[in-house]
Amino acid sequence: TQFISAELMENQLRLLLKSLERKIVSQQLNLVRTHITLGSFQGEAGAMLLFPHGEEQRLTMELVELSGVELQANGSVMSWGKSFEAVAALFVALYILNLLSG
């Protein structure tokens, strides 16, 4: 957890906790995994389809945006600067939380 907290912002940790409470970590993990492997969120069903409830969609979009990636409701993505490291740290955190909550 020292690695995770060193790489993720406090706001992201708060959002991860909310995600864990809402039981949407596995969907978020799949979304971020797709971004890392494909280089974009294209090919994923899109945030609106993955998260039918507005609060879960907003939570996910905010979490991802804190990593330097803007996720559009249609699944498209805009990346700001060097976001790969931040997205990779988010992926690790989601992966661990998904394992622990599984």
Side-chain angles (χ1 to χ4, degrees):
T1 60
Q2 188 174 19
F3 167 76
I4 294 170
S5 58
E7 296 296 325
L8 296 178
M9 292 185 269
E10 187 175 326
N11 289 343
Q12 283 178 301
L13 295 173
R14 180 183 50 80
L15 292 171
L16 284 170
L17 180 58
K18 284 184 180 180
S19 298
L20 192 57
E21 291 170 353
R22 291 187 171 270
K23 301 179 193 280
I24 60 171
V25 170
S26 63
Q27 294 101 314
Q28 291 172 330
L29 175 62
N30 288 336
L31 190 71
V32 173
R33 179 184 292 131
T34 300
H35 174 65
I36 289 175
T37 57
L38 298 180
S40 75
F41 289 102
Q42 297 293 349
E44 194 60 49
M48 286 186 135
L49 296 176
L50 281 175
F51 304 102
H53 299 93
E55 178 65 20
E56 293 169 351
Q57 179 184 345
R58 184 203 58 77
L59 179 69
T60 300
M61 292 176 81
E62 186 177 345
L63 181 64
V64 172
E65 286 177 2
L66 286 170
S67 295
V69 175
E70 184 178 345
L71 177 62
Q72 305 295 315
N74 67 1
S76 63
V77 66
M78 292 180 59
S79 183
W80 306 310
K82 296 183 178 183
S83 62
F84 180 79
E85 292 85 6
V87 173
L90 177 59
F91 174 80
V92 170
L94 288 167
Y95 183 82
I96 291 170
L97 286 174
N98 191 50
L99 281 178
L100 293 174
S101 66

